[in-house]
Structure formats: structure tokens, C-alpha cells
């Protein structure tokens, strides 16, 4: 027996030594996606703002990579959110326009067949949570817990009519895992607090995906009074309209800072991939700063779709780097999945930014890019190939063309001066429009679940 055990023990020892010498399997990263609402391209100090301070959001660019040529999929809310979560063009998943309460003014219905980011991560063993603004449906099957999020605490609707009472059209859309809630406090503080609490209270070794979607700085422009007063004390020369927006942005930045601090306190900073961007450009009528870009929210000019973005993953993404690679919101899904080692679903429109983020490539493979918004009166569009861009700024009006390399402010319409190039881009855009022309954006019964009819007007 002893003779038999001796070689067995020796063999086992060799196996143990071999296992010990093998490198440990890389731990799957946590993923945190932070989305601002209507943040202008020039409304961060890291992107040129001189009349406000956003040190916490800026730290993501300082400690990671700043993306200077990043685009929202749409110049308004719901479509960009649909693109972010699906990795597809918003038209492909039934959300070409804004999802709203009243069915006669609602322009999207998220396809039940669309596979969303949280569902893929959930299947891969991740804990998935969303805090903040959903804006992709008001009832089943298009609420967060139905679409792959284990935990939801936030606002189902579109904009809030008040940051403190959280109503829209008099309806309370604040929700926790399918149950209506009515918490006191400013929405930005609530979304921040809930995110930090969930991180501290979780009792799991599983990696997590968090989608933190702030309402700020969307109108109504309601910073907490103490934040407005502190801002005005520092910047007495700034007019009240701009001061209120700047204070709301600084308040949101403080919330981002508290979430990042929580990650650091929990020793999760090194193993968490953090994305930050906005759902569209800033609204000029509320004092937004889109830098030198033309126009703003709601338009397919650069000011409506080009947005600030930064990505941090300590030890993986070199600190203080910057890229002019042209990315879009729909690229976040494949990027996060590749980073996590999760198989990327077939048929996506987005591509992974990881080669750029890791410094292995200066740009992405050449691709044509498209923007669409459905609204009352029709659709507006844009398409880009290289530096050439065509824009349909108003439904039914003439298509325009610009060269963004020589004319980044879109001041000189080249449609008539370069007819061959214009015809090529026009044909390209028409092909894209035809590709999704038959995708429904209404619920099968004609009124999306959760949508309601407008109250009938009383006769005078």
C-alpha cells in the first residue's frame, strides 16, 4: 500500500505545483454606465466650460480616456436610451422618437424581442441594477424588471415636471421594482443615494452592471437652492438662466463624485469599468453650452448629437489619454460585453471601442453612421461617411451637406457645390431609412401599455 501511495502523492504534488503556477483567471469587471440628460458638449470643465466646475466627472477623463468625437444616437431622450441598451439603431428596436404618457404624442414602443444589455449580463451571472430615468415604457412588458434588471429604483416616465415632487402630468412615476414609491428629496440626490446604498448593502461576490441615468440637467432647471446660491456667490457675473443650469450640473457632478467615492471605499475602483456620457446635446433655450457646435438638443446638427464622453478602467485604460475615434451610444453595449468576456450577440449595429480604449488602435473600422428622430410632422435625419455629413434639419425640407473636417460648425452647405458626393450620401441615407421602414413603433393594439389617452377637453 505504501509503495502505491508514494507515487500517487508525488503525482498529486506535481499537479498542485502546476496549478499554483498557472495565472489566476481574470476577474470579470463590474460595469457602471452613467448617463446625463441634455448635457451640452461644452458643459463640463474638461470639455471647455470656464463658468462651472465638474471635478468628479472630469476625473474620469483624467484617470481614463476622454472621447472628443462621441455621438448620441439621437438628439432626444428615449431613442438614445434604446440604442444604448440594445446596441442597435433605435429605429431597429421600435423607438425612433420619444416615449411619452399620452399615446397621441408618443413615438416609440420598445420591441419585446429586442435583447437588452442587462439581460445579456444577467445571463452571464451579473447582478444588474438601474437607478434613475428609464423612459422606455410605463408598464409591462417594457419596464426595467421585465427587461433584464434585477433591481430598479427610479423614474419610469420622461421628464419630471418638478425635481422635488417627481410628477409628470400629475402622475407619480417613481418606482421600486414595480411598486410605486413617493420619496422626499431632489431627484438627483435620490438617484445618487440609492446607487450608493445598493453598492454598500449588496452581499454578493458576483460582478455587477449598474445603469445610473440622471434626469439632470434636463428642464425644469431646478438646482437645490443652496447649490444655486453657492454658484452665484462664485459667479455673480453670470445671468440667472445660465447660473441655474450650471448649478444643476455641478450638483449632478457632486452625485457622480459620491458614487465614485463609494466604489473607492469598497475597494471596487480598480475592477470597475465606468462610462460617462449624455443622451443628447444641451438645450440652448435653457442656457446650455455646446461649445462651437451648431445648434442643440432636438436637432441633427452637431450640437444636438455630439456629446461629452469619458471612460475609466484603472490599469486597463491609460490615464489622461484622449481619442478622436468616432463612437456612438450604441457602441457601449458591445464594448462592455467584450470587456467582461461575454459573447456579443449577433446583428448589432454598434461596435466595440475596446481596441481604442486599450490604445491598440487609433480609430475604429470605417463605417457609415446614421441619426433619426421621429416627431410630430415627420422625421429628421443625419448621416455621416468620413468627414462628410448630410442633415435633414426639418421634416420635408431640403437635405444639406457639410464637411466636418473643414467646417466643423456646419456653416457652408455643400449640397449644390458637390453634387456627386451629395448624391452618394443621399442614397446612403435613403438606404438606411428603407432598412427600418417597416419596424413598428406603436404597440400591437395601437396604444402602448402604460400610455393613456389625453383627457377630453371640456366644452366652453
Amino acid at each position: 500500500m505504501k509503495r502505491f501511495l508514494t507515487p500517487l502523492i508525488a503525482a498529486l504534488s506535481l499537479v498542485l505545483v502546476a496549478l499554483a503556477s498557472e495565472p489566476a483567471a481574470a476577474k470579470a469587471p463590474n460595469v457602471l454606465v452613467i448617463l446625463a440628460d441634455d448635457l451640452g458638449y461644452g458643459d463640463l470643465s474638461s470639455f471647455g466650460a470656464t463658468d462651472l466646475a465638474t471635478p468628479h466627472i472630469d476625473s474620469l477623463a483624467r484617470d481614463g480616456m476622454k472621447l472628443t468625437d462621441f455621438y448620441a444616437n439621437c438628439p432626444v431622450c428615449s431613442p438614445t436610451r434604446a440604442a444604448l441598451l440594445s446596441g442597435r439603431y433605435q429605429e431597429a428596436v421600435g423607438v425612433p422618437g420619444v416615449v411619452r404618457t399620452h399615446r397621441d404624442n408618443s413615438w416609440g414602443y420598445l420591441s419585446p424581442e429586442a435583447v437588452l444589455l442587462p439581460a445579456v449580463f444577467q445571463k452571464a451571472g451579473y447582478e444588474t441594477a438601474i437607478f434613475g430615468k428609464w423612459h422606455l415604457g410605463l408598464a409591462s412588458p417594457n419596464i426595467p424588471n421585465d427587461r433584464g434588471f434585477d433591481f430598479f429604483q427610479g423614474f419610469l416616465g420622461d421628464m419630471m415636471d418638478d425635481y422635488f415632487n417627481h410628477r409628470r402630468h400629475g402622475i407619480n412615476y417613481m418606482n421600486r421594482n414595480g411598486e410605486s414609491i413617493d420619496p422626499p428629496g431632489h431627484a438627483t440626490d435620490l438617484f445618487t443615494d440609492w446607487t450608493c446604498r445598493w453598492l454598500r448593502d449588496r452581499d454578493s461576490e458576483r460582478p455587477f452592471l449598474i445603469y445610473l441615468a440622471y434626469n439632470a440637467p434636463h428642464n425644469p432647471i431646478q438646482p437645490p437652492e443652496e447649490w444655486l446660491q453657492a454658484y452665484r456667490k462664485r459667479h455673480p457675473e453670470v445671468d440667472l438662466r445660465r447660473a441655474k443650469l450650471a448649478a444643476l450640473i455641478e450638483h449632478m457632478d457632486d452625485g457622480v463624485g459620491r458614487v465614485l467615492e463609494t466604489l473607492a471605499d469598497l475597494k471596487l475602483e480598480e475592477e470597475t469599468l465606468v462610462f460617462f456620457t449624455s443622451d443628447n446635446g444641451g438645450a440652448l433655450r435653457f442656457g446650455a453650452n455646446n461649445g462651437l457646435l451648431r445648434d442643440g438638443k432636438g436637432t441633427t446638427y452637431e450640437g444636438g448629437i455630439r456629446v461629452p464622453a469619458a471612460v475609466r478602467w484603472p490599469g486597463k485604460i491609460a490615464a489622461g489619454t484622449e481619442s478622436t475615434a468616432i463612437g456612438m451610444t450604441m457602441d457601449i453595449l458591445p464594448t462592455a460585453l467584450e470587456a467582461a468576456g461575454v459573447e456579443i450577440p449577433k446583428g448589432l449595429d454598434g461596435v466595440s471601442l475596446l481596441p481604442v480604449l486599450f490604445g491598440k488602435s487609433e480609430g475604429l473600422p470605417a463605417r457609415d453612421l446614421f441619426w433619426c428622430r421621429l416627431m410630430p410632422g415627420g422625421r429628421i435625419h443625419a448621416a455621416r461617411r468620413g468627414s462628410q455629413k448630410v442633415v435633414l434639419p426639418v421634416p420635408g425640407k431640403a437635405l444639406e451637406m457639410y464637411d466636418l473636417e473643414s467646417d466643423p460648425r456646419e456653416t457652408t452647405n455643400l449640397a449644390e457645390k458637390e453634387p456627386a458626393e451629395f448624391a452618394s450620401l443621399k442614397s446612403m441615407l435613403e438606404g438606411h431609412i428603407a432598412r427600418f421602414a417597416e419596424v413598428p413603433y406603436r404597440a400591437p393594439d395601437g396604444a402602448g401599455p402604460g400610455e393613456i389617452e389625453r383627457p377630453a377637453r371640456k366644452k366652453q
Side-chain angles (χ1 to χ4, degrees):
M1 184 72 173
K2 188 174 180 181
R3 281 183 202 167
F4 174 76
L5 286 174
T6 300
L8 178 62
I9 291 171
L12 286 172
S13 297
L14 289 172
V15 170
L16 291 172
V17 169
L19 288 173
S21 64
E22 286 288 322
K27 186 177 179 180
N30 306 307
V31 177
L32 168 61
V33 179
I34 305 174
L35 190 69
D37 196 343
D38 292 6
L39 183 68
Y41 185 83
D43 269 332
L44 298 175
S45 40
S46 54
F47 276 77
T50 58
D51 61 350
L52 55 73
T54 51
H56 305 295
I57 297 171
D58 296 340
S59 75
L60 296 174
R62 183 194 66 223
D63 300 335
M65 179 175 285
K66 174 182 174 180
L67 301 176
T68 62
D69 289 60
F70 195 81
Y71 286 92
N73 265 69
C74 188
V76 290
C77 300
S78 301
T80 295
R81 294 161 198 273
L84 188 159
L85 293 174
S86 68
R88 303 289 313 278
Y89 282 109
Q90 57 268 25
E91 310 99 294
V93 293
V95 191
V98 177
V99 177
R100 293 196 175 105
T101 300
H102 302 112
R103 72 178 181 89
D104 62 338
N105 192 33
S106 186
W107 307 94
Y109 176 72
L110 182 62
S111 169
E113 285 73 44
V115 178
L116 303 189
L117 176 67
V120 181
F121 268 105
Q122 194 178 57
K123 189 175 180 181
Y126 274 65
E127 282 189 284
T128 58
I130 171 176
F131 302 95
K133 180 175 174 176
W134 170 241
H135 202 180
L136 286 171
L138 302 173
S140 186
N142 281 337
I143 55 176
N145 298 106
D146 292 339
R147 304 308 298 261
F149 284 108
D150 298 313
F151 188 87
F152 166 55
Q153 196 164 6
F155 189 73
L156 283 173
D158 53 343
M159 61 175 280
M160 291 180 183
D161 293 326
D162 188 290
Y163 271 79
F164 292 93
N165 73 13
H166 324 126
R167 284 350 188 227
R168 177 62 164 156
H169 305 301
I171 302 168
N172 176 20
Y173 285 130
M174 277 294 203
N175 194 281
R176 186 181 190 274
N177 291 334
E179 299 293 329
S180 180
I181 58 176
D182 195 9
H186 192 282
T188 299
D189 290 326
L190 292 173
F191 299 159
T192 298
D193 291 343
W194 293 340
T195 304
C196 294
R197 185 178 304 131
W198 186 86
L199 282 167
R200 292 187 184 280
D201 291 350
R202 64 189 294 268
D203 182 21
S204 174
E205 293 299 313
R206 291 158 57 196
F208 61 76
L209 164 72
I210 293 177
Y211 174 35
L212 170 55
Y214 285 110
N215 276 67
H218 194 291
N219 67 294
I221 312 303
Q222 286 181 290
E225 185 61 27
E226 63 272 23
W227 281 83
L228 177 58
Q229 293 308 319
Y231 178 85
R232 299 202 78 185
K233 187 175 181 179
R234 288 173 17 239
H235 296 280
E237 77 287 356
V238 176
D239 68 83
L240 181 59
R241 184 184 70 159
R242 175 64 181 170
K244 289 172 67 176
L245 182 64
L248 190 61
I249 292 169
E250 290 189 343
H251 180 230
M252 177 184 67
D253 178 75
D254 181 73
V256 172
R258 289 201 282 137
V259 173
L260 298 180
E261 182 180 11
T262 301
L263 290 177
D265 290 346
L266 297 173
K267 305 293 189 292
L268 296 171
E269 192 175 45
E270 300 293 318
E271 56 197 59
T272 303
L273 171 63
V274 182
F275 293 87
F276 176 87
T277 191
S278 177
D279 64 346
N280 48 251
L284 298 180
R285 66 192 178 105
F286 296 113
N289 175 7
N290 291 317
L292 300 177
L293 306 178
R294 180 174 177 178
D295 222 313
K297 176 185 177 176
T299 78
T300 46
Y301 291 116
E302 291 290 283
I305 55 178
R306 194 163 157 191
V307 289
V311 191
R312 186 190 76 179
W313 189 2
K316 299 287 187 179
I317 299 173
T321 49
E322 188 173 302
S323 175
T324 58
I326 301 171
M328 289 186 73
T329 316
M330 64 186 180
D331 298 333
I332 290 175
L333 182 148
T335 304
L337 292 179
E338 184 178 6
V342 178
E343 184 177 357
I344 299 174
K346 305 292 185 185
L348 299 186
D349 298 304
V351 300
S352 175
L353 303 173
L354 221 55
V356 170
L357 297 176
F358 285 177
K360 295 180 179 179
S361 173
E362 291 186 359
L364 298 169
R367 56 177 173 162
D368 299 330
L369 297 173
F370 304 92
W371 293 266
C372 166
R373 178 197 176 185
L374 174 62
M375 58 186 184
R379 298 179 188 241
I380 58 173
H381 290 279
R384 177 171 177 169
R385 172 180 288 164
S387 65
Q388 301 287 333
K389 178 186 174 186
V390 286
V391 179
L392 182 66
V394 179
K397 297 295 183 180
L399 198 64
E400 303 167 359
M401 186 177 84
Y402 302 94
D403 187 322
L404 296 177
E405 184 175 1
S406 61
D407 181 24
R409 299 187 192 187
E410 298 171 292
T411 61
T412 305
N413 183 2
L414 302 174
E416 294 183 3
K417 294 180 181 179
E418 299 183 14
E421 185 68 23
F422 175 72
S424 177
L425 266 67
K426 181 175 181 288
S427 176
M428 177 184 81
L429 175 58
E430 289 170 346
H432 175 81
I433 294 171
R435 178 184 173 197
F436 301 120
E438 301 303 318
V439 177
Y441 63 89
R442 298 284 194 196
D445 62 358
E451 296 176 345
I452 61 175
E453 298 279 1
R454 290 182 187 272
R457 290 184 178 177
K458 293 182 179 179
K459 294 182 178 179
Q460 300 296 319

